[in-house]
Amino acid sequence: MMTKTVIFEKKYGVNVGNLSTTEEIDEIIEEKIGRKLKIIKPDDHGIVHSRGNVFKLREYDIDRMFDDAIKRGK
């Protein structure tokens, strides 16, 4: 993470320690590129984003699973 922060600071000429919101970061980038940022869904461009997963995730009802496990243990 430190490397990415240093690259951002050099590219945009700012100290990220002085920023506290993503809106402030967006404003700096928009000023540099001369236009508003476009908001897109990560799925729209076919690239897995950093918080994503290549595989579909299953949803679990953890409360029901816990209750079932407790009942089986009796």
Side-chain angles (χ1 to χ4, degrees):
M1 183 70 172
M2 182 57 113
T3 304
K4 292 178 184 179
T5 302
V6 171
I7 292 170
F8 181 85
E9 288 178 337
K10 285 182 180 180
K11 182 173 183 174
Y12 295 102
V14 296
N15 179 351
V16 293
N18 297 333
L19 305 172
S20 59
T21 66
T22 54
E23 287 82 11
E24 291 174 323
I25 295 169
D26 290 350
E27 289 172 5
I28 291 167
I29 295 170
E30 289 170 349
E31 185 177 315
K32 179 81 170 185
I33 65 174
R35 65 175 171 79
K36 289 294 239 179
L37 290 172
K38 295 179 183 177
I39 306 300
I40 62 169
K41 286 176 50 178
D43 298 330
D44 289 347
H45 52 69
I47 299 172
V48 177
H49 54 92
S50 63
R51 293 185 192 119
N53 194 324
V54 175
F55 305 104
K56 293 279 186 191
L57 299 178
R58 291 183 63 185
E59 291 186 22
Y60 293 97
D61 181 351
I62 193 69
D63 293 323
R64 183 188 54 78
M65 292 173 69
F66 179 76
D67 290 340
D68 290 347
I70 295 296
K71 288 177 188 173
R72 281 187 298 227
K74 288 185 177 180

